[in-house]
Amino acid sequence: MQQPVLQARAPHPWALAAYWFSLNFQGAALLAIVVPRTLMQQRLAQATRTAELAALAAMVAVVAMLVPPAVGAVSDRLRLRHTGRRPFVVYGTALNIAGLAWAMRAPSTGWLALPLLLAVSGQGAALAGYEAMLPEVVPPSQWGAASGHMGVASLLGSVAGLATAGSATLGTTYWAMMATAALGAVVTARAVPEPARVEPDRGPGAVVRDWSRFRWVFAGRFFVIFAQTLLMTFVLYFFEDVLGVAAPATGTALVGGLALVGAAGAAYYVGQASDARDRTGIVALAGLPMAVAVAGFALFPDAGLIFGLAVLWGLGYGAFLSVDWALALDSVPDLRNVARDLGIWGIASNLPAVVAPLVGGAILAHAASAAVGYRSLFLVAAGGFGAGSALVEASRPASLLRRGLRWALTLGVAGGLWLYATAAYDARVVGAVLADRRGLLVLGNHQHDMGGMVIPARLFLARPWQGPVHAAASPRVLEPGFLASRGPRWLGRVFGGLRLDGVLRALGVLPIENMPLMRPVVSWAYAVWARHGDLPAARVLTPEALALAGAPAPRRLRDVWDGWRWPQEGPLVSVRALREPYRSEARGGLRGRVQAQLADLAAALDRGGTLYMTPEGRMTASGTMGRLRAALDAVGPHARGVWLAATSYDPWAGRRLRMLTRLLPPADPARLGLSLAAARPVMAGQVVAAALLAAPAGVGVGELVAAAAAVRGPGAWMAGLADAEGAVRRALRWMARRGAARVAGGRWVAGQRRHDGRFPHVPDLLAAQAQQLEETLAAVRELAAGPGAAARSDQTPSPAGRGR
């Protein structure tokens, strides 16, 4: 990951960590002891004060969650204009101190809320500026060491805050929080030099487009902080209400101090070591001792034992803190907007602070007794620590949990697609694949989107324990607007602008470019957006392309695929829809992108996955198969075997569109295209369409039945024609309803409505069905003639490398 700035002279690590001490001094003391003691002094009933504490903690957390991203975005923008981060630290700290001074004199709970929110707002603004300074002055190779120093400072600050709040008066504690905040800001302002200017790197390393790791780590951090907040918010009342400690504030401070002192050493050494190791694994392991310790709080509520469990909890917490900041910088999506993205990262800390007090308050309010309530609360916290560890571990692409979740998701989606296909369509798959489908390449013909959904789903459901089933698909499937162009209008309005690439890739979809020169406008716009961000549309697209994007004209690139447009329904345009330099960039990078996509397909087979692909590349508009493209030559040698998924559709078999797929080995592995064409089922609709077009003057039902019987002769695979007369009459009835056939003078003739909305790319469905029948029967005859017959012009070498 490249640095987005010119780095200044690196400061002393303890000077860099000084403000972290101040932040955690206040954070540990304020909600854990200071605010609860304030409520206790007001002599509120137990139920009332826990509810008041939960409400105050939730309000404070909302402000702490919203302020850093907003202030961080402003700081990032000003930083590009060479305005430093230091003013945010200084002025934010001043606002924080003013809020604390006001809170010290608050006469009631209602008046306490306002100064607390003011103090937290100031602290959040200072934090936004302070965190963004760190990657500007610390090189990536030292992030772990710096994170270790900050972890120690965090722990020492928490220990000092708890010790002060637990032993001093409320007034003294407020003065201590104000003094440490001021001291931290002064040290940061004087001892941490900022670089003179920022040079945002516009190269590929500056922007990390893959949000996958960020999402997993963010979710894991959320659960860890959720569990910690449950513990810290209510632990003082636990000492008083369950353990019966005479001085609960002192007990809280002692337990917290033991845990945090023990964690300080671990934080320092683990942080130093993490620069040479996988930080993800450290964080994942850190949650386990915390989960065990908090479960011990719940199951063994004994004052003597709890002090030992606190040390165990501290070991895990120290390891977590030691790499927390470094892992944040490893995971944020965009270092050019580091203050904003670290603010978003901070939501994983602040959102739990909103949710956890409310959850904890509800648990305690509905418990049969105080002991039962706190036991339940601590078990929930233990589960949170465990879930956090599991989710952080899942951020590794090869993690067992991640593979398990992906398998479960694939199983659910495949089952859902199969149920949908059999309910909304008359979809059937006959035949079977090899007993071991790992490394198997399955080739299909391409007539309708339904095939790409049903066939991979059926392959996976047949043997879900044999690894993933990948489907090679056009990159258009992964682009915004695809749903809008493939479903009802309401679906497009709701989901049309969503990016589904992450979900589809997780389900096994692999892109392979099938439209290198002509694409919809949205596709060209999306390609530029993926490399350069949300640029003004007029800077990227020509006026003619903007006109094709619809009205009103899009202002930014993201406007091209919003949910109220259907951009992939538009005409195909060349790369000249882009302005320079984006046009040359798109042309120059095409070959490399296609080669990388082919390598991904081959790698999927090498890893033992099953790959389904339609090597024609595009859906047929004429009914005949296209030439098998070069992708088959590149991918085929990596397959352990080749199977065919030969598919035919009958739009006149009933109310639902009928789809029939045959799974079988190729009749001639050296002539895959011919074998695939010959294996397609012959449907009644094909026979009737061919007969109607061959007899413009009309044809009788008897003649159509005879034509269906004659087709059986060459050896084609017939579908639903055992009762030839019934199948023919049913096809004629549905053709008449759809306007594809009519009766004239007592004979059936072709109708005027040749287009069917279920095949939007086919202008004449009657002709397409007739041509498919003709091609299928010709392929059957050619295969029967043997390998010495003239080779079809659309053949490619087999995966085994044999000739045409």
Side-chain angles (χ1 to χ4, degrees), residues 164-520:
T164 302
S167 59
T169 64
L170 274 177
T172 301
T173 304
Y174 274 111
W175 282 110
M177 289 190 294
M178 290 186 280
T180 54
L183 182 62
V186 169
V187 172
T188 301
R190 297 297 298 267
V192 180
E194 288 190 90
R197 60 194 178 92
V198 175
E199 289 185 358
D201 186 350
R202 302 189 184 279
V207 179
V208 182
R209 288 296 179 195
D210 181 12
W211 284 71
S212 176
R213 187 184 186 199
F214 179 84
R215 295 189 187 105
W216 285 104
V217 176
F218 181 95
R221 191 171 192 258
F222 172 90
F223 277 101
V224 170
I225 302 300
F226 171 84
Q228 179 189 340
T229 306
L230 273 181
L231 181 66
M232 298 301 292
T233 302
F234 297 98
V235 67
L236 186 146
Y237 295 150
F238 169 73
F239 274 92
E240 182 182 35
D241 299 335
V242 177
L243 299 184
V245 176
T250 303
T252 301
L254 182 58
V255 168
L258 283 173
L260 298 179
V261 168
Y268 179 78
Y269 289 107
V270 172
Q272 297 281 341
S274 71
D275 283 323
R277 290 174 173 82
D278 180 13
R279 282 187 270 266
T280 304
I282 294 174
V283 175
L285 290 174
L288 300 181
M290 290 192 283
V292 171
V294 177
F297 288 0
L299 300 177
F300 309 103
D302 177 80
L305 183 60
I306 280 177
F307 291 120
L309 292 173
V311 176
L312 178 62
W313 182 87
L315 291 174
Y317 187 58
F320 171 79
L321 277 185
S322 68
V323 294
D324 181 52
W325 176 76
L327 187 62
L329 288 181
D330 288 340
S331 305
V332 292
D334 189 352
L335 279 180
R336 294 179 302 183
N337 296 290
V338 64
R340 180 204 65 190
D341 288 349
L342 285 175
I344 295 173
W345 170 264
I347 293 175
S349 295
N350 296 312
L351 183 58
V354 178
V355 177
L358 300 178
V359 172
I363 291 174
L364 296 177
H366 293 86
S369 65
V372 172
Y374 283 104
R375 182 179 295 113
S376 302
L377 186 145
F378 289 148
L379 288 176
V380 170
F385 286 124
S389 289
L391 289 168
V392 172
E393 169 62 21
S395 67
R396 306 189 205 198
S399 73
L400 182 62
L401 175 63
R402 193 167 183 173
R403 292 199 301 268
L405 291 174
R406 185 183 294 115
W407 180 87
L409 176 64
T410 304
L411 183 64
V413 171
L417 285 176
W418 182 251
L419 291 175
Y420 170 76
T422 54
Y425 298 83
D426 184 8
R428 307 176 191 179
V429 178
V430 299
V433 297
L434 293 172
D436 186 356
R437 62 165 175 78
R438 286 171 290 193
L440 185 67
L441 176 62
V442 181
L443 303 179
N445 54 299
H446 201 16
Q447 288 182 267
H448 193 277
D449 286 329
M450 184 55 56
M453 293 188 290
V454 171
I455 297 171
R458 187 67 184 87
L459 290 170
F460 181 80
L461 292 173
R463 292 180 177 85
W465 58 88
Q466 288 186 353
V469 174
H470 300 279
S474 167
R476 310 295 85 75
V477 174
L478 306 179
E479 295 172 354
F482 179 77
L483 275 181
S485 64
R486 291 297 192 272
R489 293 281 175 165
W490 67 266
L491 186 66
R493 292 186 176 186
V494 176
F495 299 107
L498 290 181
R499 293 177 56 203
L500 300 176
D501 52 331
V503 175
L504 293 175
R505 287 178 186 272
L507 293 173
V509 176
L510 296 175
I512 180 66
E513 186 58 68
N514 65 334
M515 305 172 74
L517 302 177
M518 302 289 290
R519 305 181 194 172

Side-chain angles (χ1 to χ4, degrees), residues 364-726:
L364 296 177
H366 293 86
S369 65
V372 172
Y374 283 104
R375 182 179 295 113
S376 302
L377 186 145
F378 289 148
L379 288 176
V380 170
F385 286 124
S389 289
L391 289 168
V392 172
E393 169 62 21
S395 67
R396 306 189 205 198
S399 73
L400 182 62
L401 175 63
R402 193 167 183 173
R403 292 199 301 268
L405 291 174
R406 185 183 294 115
W407 180 87
L409 176 64
T410 304
L411 183 64
V413 171
L417 285 176
W418 182 251
L419 291 175
Y420 170 76
T422 54
Y425 298 83
D426 184 8
R428 307 176 191 179
V429 178
V430 299
V433 297
L434 293 172
D436 186 356
R437 62 165 175 78
R438 286 171 290 193
L440 185 67
L441 176 62
V442 181
L443 303 179
N445 54 299
H446 201 16
Q447 288 182 267
H448 193 277
D449 286 329
M450 184 55 56
M453 293 188 290
V454 171
I455 297 171
R458 187 67 184 87
L459 290 170
F460 181 80
L461 292 173
R463 292 180 177 85
W465 58 88
Q466 288 186 353
V469 174
H470 300 279
S474 167
R476 310 295 85 75
V477 174
L478 306 179
E479 295 172 354
F482 179 77
L483 275 181
S485 64
R486 291 297 192 272
R489 293 281 175 165
W490 67 266
L491 186 66
R493 292 186 176 186
V494 176
F495 299 107
L498 290 181
R499 293 177 56 203
L500 300 176
D501 52 331
V503 175
L504 293 175
R505 287 178 186 272
L507 293 173
V509 176
L510 296 175
I512 180 66
E513 186 58 68
N514 65 334
M515 305 172 74
L517 302 177
M518 302 289 290
R519 305 181 194 172
V521 172
V522 64
S523 183
W524 296 117
Y526 180 73
V528 175
W529 177 87
R531 296 184 185 90
H532 301 282
D534 196 20
L535 299 176
R539 187 195 303 177
V540 176
L541 300 173
T542 63
E544 295 78 11
L546 286 172
L548 290 174
R555 294 179 62 251
R556 314 288 298 190
L557 289 179
R558 288 184 65 91
D559 296 335
V560 177
W561 59 79
D562 67 26
W564 294 93
R565 304 169 190 267
W566 293 269
Q568 293 206 10
E569 291 180 347
L572 302 182
V573 295
S574 73
V575 71
R576 296 184 65 82
L578 297 176
R579 294 179 180 271
E580 292 291 355
Y582 311 106
R583 182 187 305 168
S584 297
E585 181 183 70
R587 284 174 172 162
L590 177 62
R591 180 182 295 274
R593 288 193 297 275
V594 172
Q595 289 176 344
Q597 291 168 351
L598 290 173
D600 288 342
L601 297 178
L605 289 170
D606 291 338
R607 292 192 298 266
T610 302
L611 177 62
Y612 169 75
M613 65 183 300
T614 54
E616 299 169 83
R618 299 186 188 179
M619 286 189 288
T620 176
S622 64
T624 59
M625 284 179 50
R627 179 181 177 84
L628 304 191
R629 298 195 174 192
L632 182 58
D633 292 331
V635 175
H638 296 264
R640 292 177 57 247
V642 178
W643 220 250
L644 302 181
T647 303
S648 292
Y649 296 85
D650 192 340
W652 307 296
R655 180 181 57 83
R656 299 178 298 167
L657 175 65
R658 175 170 293 176
M659 167 191 166
L660 182 59
T661 298
R662 297 179 66 202
L663 297 176
L664 72 168
D668 186 347
R671 297 185 290 176
L672 291 174
L674 191 69
S675 299
L676 182 58
R680 293 175 298 182
V682 173
M683 314 287 274
Q686 298 172 0
V687 175
V688 174
L692 291 176
L693 293 178
V699 62
V701 173
E703 296 169 90
L704 291 172
V705 173
V711 171
R712 299 176 185 172
W717 197 84
M718 314 298 292
L721 287 174
D723 178 12
E725 183 174 354

Side-chain angles (χ1 to χ4, degrees), residues 21-31 96 100 119 123 177 180-181:
F21 177 92
S22 302
L23 290 170
N24 285 274
F25 183 98
Q26 179 176 328
L30 192 63
L31 287 179
N96 179 22
L100 292 174
Q123 189 183 53
M177 289 190 294
T180 54

